[in-house]
């Protein structure tokens, strides 16, 4: 049985409706902004508690990472991400999710060959290319400023 390209195109268009682009952008903005707002509230709280610059910066990042890891572990972060879309890839929470999710997915294969080996399967390229890019940027900065 043969289907023409036009018929196939019509079938695929009917089976996969268009994404609501504007609504997805609004949701990403609201959820991503909400994560950033939460982090700012943590900053304000930690500063009001009298913590120094170094402490409140480290503590804010750590709290966001731990909360994201816990929400990923109990399956809530994935439900949030379904609605938030790109808003959930705010760097620190998105990175924490990309480390925890594969670790949980492959835990049945054991701690070494499952969890440890697969933990950075998603985040690994980000680390590698982020580090390489920062070295190149640092070298260019060095050349320009010297």
């Amino acid at each position: 049985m043969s289907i023409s390209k036009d018929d196939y195109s019509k079938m695929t268009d009917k089976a996969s409706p268009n994404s609501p682009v504007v609504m997805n952008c609004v949701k990403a903005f609201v959820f991503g902004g909400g994560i950033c707002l939460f982090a700012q509230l943590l900053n304000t709280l930690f500063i009001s508690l009298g913590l120094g610059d170094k402490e409140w910066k480290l503590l804010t990042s750590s709290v966001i990472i731990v909360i994201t890891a816990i929400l990923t572990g109990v399956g809530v972060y994935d439900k949030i991400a379904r609605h938030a879309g790109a808003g959930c890839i705010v760097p620190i929470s998105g990175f924490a999710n990309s480390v925890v999710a594969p670790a949980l997915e492959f835990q049945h294969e054991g701690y070494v060959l499952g969890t440890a080996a697969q933990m950075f399967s998603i985040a690994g390229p980000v680390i590698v290319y982020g580090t390489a890019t920062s070295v190149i940027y640092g070298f260019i900065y060095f050349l320009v400023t010297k």
Side-chain angles (χ1 to χ4, degrees):
M1 183 168 154
S2 175
I3 296 178
S4 71
K5 288 184 180 183
D6 289 335
D7 289 340
Y8 183 76
S9 179
K10 289 176 186 175
M11 287 173 43
T12 57
D13 288 344
K14 190 176 181 180
S16 57
N18 293 333
S19 297
V21 176
V22 174
M23 183 54 103
N24 288 347
C25 289
V26 169
K27 286 181 179 181
F29 178 79
V30 169
F31 280 90
I35 293 170
C36 293
L37 175 65
F38 178 68
Q40 185 60 49
L41 291 172
L42 286 174
N43 282 346
T44 305
L45 172 68
F46 296 144
I47 291 170
S48 71
L49 293 174
L51 298 175
D53 270 1
K54 197 174 196 179
E55 289 81 17
W56 67 258
K57 289 176 184 177
L58 291 171
L59 197 53
T60 299
S61 299
S62 299
V63 168
I64 296 293
I65 289 169
V66 168
I67 289 173
T68 302
I70 291 169
L71 290 177
T72 300
V74 297
V76 174
Y77 196 85
D78 293 337
K79 291 176 184 174
I80 294 170
R82 272 191 221 116
H83 298 288
C88 275
I89 57 173
V90 174
I92 197 160
S93 60
F95 184 77
N97 176 260
S98 71
V99 171
V100 174
L104 291 173
E105 185 177 343
F106 292 99
Q107 72 182 0
H108 66 277
E109 294 180 21
Y111 288 117
V112 175
L113 296 176
T115 301
Q118 299 297 326
M119 186 180 293
F120 293 103
S121 63
I122 296 173
V126 174
I127 295 169
V128 170
Y129 291 110
T131 303
T133 304
S134 66
V135 168
I136 293 168
Y137 175 77
F139 183 69
I140 293 169
Y141 181 79
F142 174 76
L143 291 176
V144 170
T145 60
K146 292 292 173 173

